[in-house]
Amino acid sequence: MINRTIAPAFKEINQINLIQATPRLLDNKIKLFVVNAGEQELVRIEFIFNNVNWDVNHPLQAFVTNSLLIEGSRTMSSYQISERIDSYGAFIQAEYGFDQSTVTLYTLSKHLDEVLPIVKEILTEAIFPQEELETFVRNQKQKLLISLEKNDIVTKRIFNHALFGDSIYGYIVNADDYDKVDRNELVEYYRAAYQPDNCIIIASGKVDELIAQKINSFFGNNWENTVPATKNSFSFPETKGSLYYTEKPEALQSAIRIGQLSIPRNHVDFPALQFLNTVLGGYFGSRLMANIREEKGYTYGIGSGLVSLQNVGYFLIASEVGADVCTLTLKEIEKEVNLLRTELIPGEEIELVKNYMLGSFMGSLENAFSHADKFKNIYLAGLDYDYYTRYIQTIKHISAPQLLELANKYLDYNSFIIVITGKK
């Protein structure tokens, strides 16, 4: 019988084996990446398209186009698409991100011959019915109205705009923008973005040669490029410290978002800066949580993050605190940031964060889909699997002097954008 009063022996993680994606080309030159693993006859196929042709005068083109992709095609209504997909126990979803838009199919492999034609029609013959567009616009305007009552949403919008201006990352969407959406501009964007030259496919699960051939049969043939498109690309000036305050006199809580432009995933310092971020506010045992939640009781939760986008990265700290302690919270955040710049992090804390980060990485590799996600992260950042080797080695061997240097290089509180909605 196991003696549960004795902790299990500690074992250091020396190597993490990733199931690597195998590349191949479809007949029309679409890149297909296969992560073949698992025992169940289940596959996930992701069709990933770069967002293109950003135009501040049509800020919702990419978002609305992706949202309405599965709402009607040449031969099927939205109901018929849903009914046919459901009848095979499959699932399809369209997801929009700042940099890429994705159509993802989950299905049993035995039903591929039935469901892949549906996906093909969605990607090549979507029609964006006017009735579906009008319903979507009404719903989104209502969601926006509700969202703008939430301090954290208002704060996020102001923060993103302060960092990124009227780019796709920072544009502040208003109800009027939805009223301006026109079906013709959705069709125009669809033809520019959803075409072979702008697509990669990632298939994961139990993906054998026959399944790869079926993908090629449906998507490597009779799917041609239509119009030229320009992948979105942006550059941003360095941020300067500034405060954006939106007063809400009746607020019981104030939403806080603090941060600045930073480095993306493909920067050599990114893994080490992730470590530093974890120390500060990247997990439940972080310094911000220990101070502002556990010791001071100012909030239920506070955290920091390092976000990597296609063209830029950014660092942020976010929380909602009692309106009466908002100013005190800011002082404690500043104190914790400055401590990282002036004092060496103790060895015990470094070991704790090291074990947490390596354990989290291991825990994130649950199945073929998660291995495919790891590949997607590096591929879209222009990296290869060496990134994960460097990441693990950085986490294992990082030192207190290195972290002190990084804090002085990347975390300057006086340069942070500070956004507050509520009372201070």
Side-chain angles (χ1 to χ4, degrees):
M1 181 178 291
I2 297 175
N3 185 346
R4 300 191 182 277
T5 64
I6 302 175
F10 173 79
K11 184 177 180 180
E12 184 174 333
I13 297 172
N14 292 313
Q15 185 176 359
I16 296 176
N17 295 316
L18 287 162
I19 302 169
Q20 297 196 10
T22 302
R24 58 193 296 164
L25 281 179
L26 304 190
D27 290 344
N28 59 356
K29 308 304 180 184
I30 291 179
K31 293 179 180 178
L32 167 65
F33 298 94
V34 174
V35 178
N36 184 17
E39 299 300 322
Q40 304 299 319
E41 301 291 332
L42 177 67
V43 295
R44 182 182 77 179
I45 306 175
E46 299 171 276
F47 301 83
I48 303 172
F49 303 87
N50 288 314
N51 293 336
V52 301
N53 297 352
W54 166 253
D55 183 351
V56 70
N57 296 309
H58 302 280
L60 296 174
Q61 254 190 322
F63 168 61
V64 180
T65 302
N66 181 263
S67 299
L68 295 181
L69 265 181
I70 60 178
E71 299 302 326
S73 66
R74 181 178 60 85
T75 67
M76 295 177 288
S77 66
S78 60
Y79 174 78
Q80 289 169 326
I81 291 172
S82 177
E83 185 180 52
R84 288 182 61 183
I85 289 289
D86 288 349
S87 69
Y88 295 108
F91 176 71
I92 188 170
Q93 63 182 355
E95 298 174 283
Y96 168 80
F98 282 140
D99 294 312
Q100 288 88 26
S101 296
T102 305
V103 175
T104 304
L105 170 72
Y106 294 85
T107 184
L108 295 174
S109 53
K110 65 182 180 180
H111 295 315
L112 277 171
D113 288 329
E114 288 75 29
V115 296
L116 286 182
I118 302 173
V119 179
K120 178 70 175 290
E121 186 165 325
I122 288 169
L123 295 181
T124 60
E125 299 183 274
I127 61 172
F128 307 98
Q130 183 65 32
E131 182 180 349
E132 296 287 353
L133 172 58
E134 292 171 359
T135 300
F136 179 79
V137 166
R138 285 196 302 272
N139 291 341
Q140 288 300 120
K141 288 172 67 176
Q142 184 63 29
K143 287 181 182 179
L144 178 63
L145 190 65
I146 295 171
S147 294
L148 293 181
E149 295 298 317
K150 300 176 182 178
N151 288 353
D152 60 326
I153 299 296
V154 173
T155 303
K156 181 179 179 180
R157 283 158 56 94
I158 296 171
F159 178 81
N160 287 354
H161 189 261
L163 289 183
F164 305 121
D166 281 336
S167 71
I168 198 170
Y169 305 139
Y171 184 86
I172 295 180
V173 175
N174 295 302
D176 289 348
D177 292 314
Y178 285 103
D179 291 330
K180 296 173 185 176
V181 175
D182 178 80
R183 179 187 173 276
N184 290 331
E185 75 177 50
L186 302 185
V187 173
E188 176 187 336
Y189 185 85
Y190 174 66
R191 290 173 178 167
Y194 294 84
Q195 54 182 332
D197 274 355
N198 193 42
C199 179
I200 67 165
I201 303 173
I202 302 177
S204 53
K206 196 170 183 181
V207 185
D208 57 20
E209 179 61 25
L210 179 59
I211 290 176
Q213 290 176 5
K214 286 183 179 181
I215 294 172
N216 181 56
S217 175
F218 283 103
F219 299 97
N221 299 282
N222 299 317
W223 187 16
E224 299 177 352
N225 299 298
T226 53
V227 296
T230 303
K231 180 181 175 182
N232 293 342
S233 181
F234 307 99
S235 60
F236 305 97
E238 290 188 14
T239 53
K240 297 179 181 179
S242 53
L243 172 66
Y244 298 81
Y245 175 51
T246 303
E247 184 174 15
K248 291 195 173 182
E250 304 303 318
L252 298 177
Q253 284 193 315
S254 294
I256 298 172
R257 188 165 286 236
I258 301 172
Q260 64 181 3
L261 295 178
S262 190
I263 55 176
R265 190 183 305 276
N266 57 15
H267 193 286
V268 66
D269 287 341
F270 189 80
L273 191 56
Q274 277 189 308
F275 191 103
L276 185 66
N277 169 72
T278 304
V279 171
L280 177 64
Y283 76 124
F284 194 80
S286 70
R287 291 185 173 195
L288 289 176
M289 284 289 282
N291 179 343
I292 296 168
R293 173 192 156 103
E294 301 300 328
E295 181 182 333
K296 300 294 191 306
Y298 293 163
T299 182
Y300 287 109
I302 184 170
S304 64
L306 191 62
V307 181
S308 179
L309 300 168
Q310 193 79 50
N311 296 277
V312 69
Y314 67 97
F315 167 78
L316 79 156
I317 299 168
S319 184
E320 288 189 83
V321 303
D324 58 326
V325 293
C326 181
T327 300
L328 294 174
T329 299
L330 293 176
K331 289 181 179 178
E332 293 302 318
I333 292 172
E334 181 178 9
K335 183 185 82 172
E336 294 297 343
V337 170
N338 288 334
L339 281 173
L340 292 175
R341 292 164 54 91
T342 56
E343 296 183 5
L344 293 174
I345 300 172
E348 305 82 34
E349 188 176 4
I350 290 176
E351 286 300 312
L352 178 64
V353 173
K354 180 189 304 183
N355 292 333
Y356 167 78
M357 292 184 70
L358 291 175
S360 294
F361 189 93
M362 286 285 289
S364 69
L365 300 174
E366 300 172 329
N367 50 44
F369 300 158
S370 55
H371 283 265
D373 290 338
K374 287 289 187 287
F375 167 73
K376 183 166 54 178
N377 287 341
I378 56 173
Y379 180 82
L380 295 178
L383 297 165
D384 56 28
Y385 279 100
D386 287 344
Y387 169 81
Y388 289 119
T389 301
R390 296 193 300 273
Y391 175 88
I392 293 164
Q393 292 305 310
T394 296
I395 301 309
K396 288 182 64 175
H397 300 295
I398 200 162
S399 67
Q402 285 177 287
L403 292 166
L404 185 69
E405 182 180 350
L406 282 167
N408 280 279
K409 186 176 181 180
Y410 292 112
L411 299 182
D412 180 5
Y413 191 87
N414 294 324
S415 297
F416 287 173
I417 300 290
I418 301 174
V419 182
I420 301 169
T421 304
K423 291 190 294 186
K424 66 184 176 92

